[in-house]
Amino acid sequence: MTSPLFAAIRDEILASGPIGLDRYMTLCLGHPVHGYYRTRDPLGARGDFVTAPEISQMFGELIGIWIAATWEAMGAPPDLALVELGPGRGTLMQDALRALSRAAPALRPALHLVETSPVLRGEQESRLSGAAPTWHESLDTLPHGPTLVIANEFFDALPVRQFQRAERGWFERLVGLSPDGSALAFGLAAEPDTRIAASGPTGVLMTLPSAALDAVRGLARRVVAHRGAVLLVDYGHVRPGFGDSLQAVRGHAFVPPLAAPGEADLTTHVDFTALGRAATGEGAILHGPVDQRDFLLALGLRERAEGLGRTASEAQREAITAAATRLTDPSRRGMGSLFKAMAFSDATLAALPGLPPAGR
């Protein structure tokens, strides 16, 4: 099966040769006409996947509690910029602002949303118009000053590069065409990348999250210079290693990543260790990472679920319990363990709610 974007990718490959995985992901997710996030609302039962804020209001409310406590730890600056990266439908921020109005009524943050999807911007506007958000295409136009940044399932969708180990070194994994030109196919660069000095067994794949590292470095410099913190919640790993975590999801099922460019969500597991090193390399203080289960329970998920249940019907109480269980599922593939929470901040914030200092 081909897709409207296939022809554009094929033409680029025919004109210039195979492309890196980072370029392929950029086109699939952000092509101005056929990009996945440019053309649809991917969330919910009728979309391709469900995120934590869509599972329960409790997730966003607890993020609101985190924002309130962190703002107070900053000394309650009146000119706080509250930023969300990739806000989806605006559900998380809607729930967070509701909790924030109760937990810190004196806080009136300037809301900034980094979003490239026209479809999702419309959803965000309908939910968040009362907060008068400012939208940004990239991190570059965010304002200076005290800042808190929320990034839930944002870094997993940033473009990565992959390399495969062979006898002569690390060869970049490229996307090219099948022999008859009718489909996309993976291949390797003709020569190794001599800048990579890592060791590893022949045949293994190594993923370099170049775009995520650049974003973290820029955010770290921002909060170090102007005060603040950045909270990441995403799925990934804390022990670096080899392997291929590239996946495509369509209709709540995994599909081949090259099968229908622009028609499926593309992600890779977040390397929290690499991102943490990038942040501390810019002078930021690291907090976590911890499993999502531990983070949400520390912020009061169990107590919030009990509170909601007191005035709910039996069916509603069952739904609340099911949502809390799903968010904190500790099994290997459960959200409670697969997803991690991590933050980095300026040096004045020695402790952040729900997150131990790195190394503990």
Side-chain angles (χ1 to χ4, degrees), residues 16-37:
S16 306
I19 59 177
L21 184 58
D22 54 345
R23 174 63 177 165
Y24 176 71
M25 292 182 70
T26 297
L27 290 171
C28 286
L29 300 178
H31 186 276
V33 178
H34 303 302
Y36 178 78
Y37 285 115

Side-chain angles (χ1 to χ4, degrees), residues 222-249:
R222 177 180 294 273
V223 297
V224 167
H226 303 287
R227 301 179 59 220
V230 179
L231 173 66
L232 290 68
V233 183
D234 225 313
Y235 66 93
H237 52 81
V238 296
R239 294 181 178 84
F242 301 117
D244 184 13
S245 66
L246 175 66
Q247 61 187 32
V249 175

Side-chain angles (χ1 to χ4, degrees), residues 1-7 9-10 21 24 28 173 175-178 181-186 246-250 253-266:
M1 170 185 167
T2 59
S3 66
L5 184 58
F6 171 77
I9 295 176
R10 179 196 60 204
L21 184 58
Y24 176 71
C28 286
R173 194 184 195 195
V175 176
L177 296 173
S178 61
S182 64
L184 300 174
F186 284 119
L246 175 66
Q247 61 187 32
V249 175
R250 185 180 188 187
F254 294 111
V255 296
L258 303 184
E263 300 296 317
D265 185 37
L266 289 177

Side-chain angles (χ1 to χ4, degrees), residues 128-152:
L128 301 171
S129 58
T134 299
W135 280 271
H136 303 262
E137 286 282 328
S138 73
L139 304 177
D140 299 334
T141 58
L142 291 174
H144 297 303
T147 303
L148 290 179
V149 180
I150 308 299
N152 179 63

Side-chain angles (χ1 to χ4, degrees), residues 69-309:
T70 304
W71 174 68
E72 290 173 357
M74 293 171 63
D79 55 343
L80 181 76
L82 178 57
V83 177
E84 186 175 5
L85 310 182
R89 291 172 169 170
T91 305
L92 183 155
M93 190 54 65
Q94 182 182 40
D95 294 333
L97 290 174
R98 185 176 61 252
L100 195 58
S101 68
R102 298 191 298 267
L107 173 57
R108 295 288 189 272
L111 182 59
H112 297 267
L113 306 176
V114 178
E115 180 61 73
T116 61
S117 167
V119 176
L120 291 176
R121 279 194 182 193
E123 293 276 358
Q124 294 155 19
E125 185 171 13
S126 68
R127 286 176 170 83
L128 301 171
S129 58
T134 299
W135 280 271
H136 303 262
E137 286 282 328
S138 73
L139 304 177
D140 299 334
T141 58
L142 291 174
H144 297 303
T147 303
L148 290 179
V149 180
I150 308 299
N152 179 63
E153 291 200 52
F154 174 78
F155 285 93
D156 63 294
L158 294 185
V160 301
R161 298 176 70 191
Q162 288 186 328
F163 296 83
Q164 185 168 335
R165 177 71 177 180
E167 290 185 3
R168 293 198 295 127
W170 292 96
F171 292 74
E172 185 166 10
R173 194 184 195 195
L174 303 176
V175 176
L177 296 173
S178 61
D180 64 359
S182 64
L184 300 174
F186 284 119
L188 296 177
E191 295 295 328
D193 191 319
T194 57
R195 296 169 295 179
I196 301 177
S199 60
T202 300
V204 298
L205 277 174
M206 177 172 61
T207 299
L208 297 183
S210 50
L213 293 173
D214 289 343
V216 164
R217 291 185 184 112
L219 289 168
R221 288 192 293 269
R222 177 180 294 273
V223 297
V224 167
H226 303 287
R227 301 179 59 220
V230 179
L231 173 66
L232 290 68
V233 183
D234 225 313
Y235 66 93
H237 52 81
V238 296
R239 294 181 178 84
F242 301 117
D244 184 13
S245 66
L246 175 66
Q247 61 187 32
V249 175
R250 185 180 188 187
H252 300 271
F254 294 111
V255 296
L258 303 184
E263 300 296 317
D265 185 37
L266 289 177
T267 63
T268 59
H269 285 205
V270 171
D271 185 340
F272 282 93
T273 299
L275 298 193
R277 287 173 178 166
T280 56
E282 300 297 332
I285 303 298
L286 196 63
H287 310 262
V290 298
D291 287 351
Q292 176 175 286
R293 172 186 175 84
D294 297 332
F295 178 64
L296 295 179
L297 291 176
L299 290 178
L301 175 65
R302 187 174 289 113
E303 292 79 7
R304 181 54 179 154
E306 292 173 354
L308 287 173

Side-chain angles (χ1 to χ4, degrees), residues 303-328:
E303 292 79 7
R304 181 54 179 154
E306 292 173 354
L308 287 173
R310 291 191 193 105
T311 57
S313 66
E314 182 177 352
Q316 290 171 331
R317 282 195 298 272
E318 291 177 354
I320 292 167
T321 300
T325 299
R326 184 175 179 185
L327 290 172
T328 58

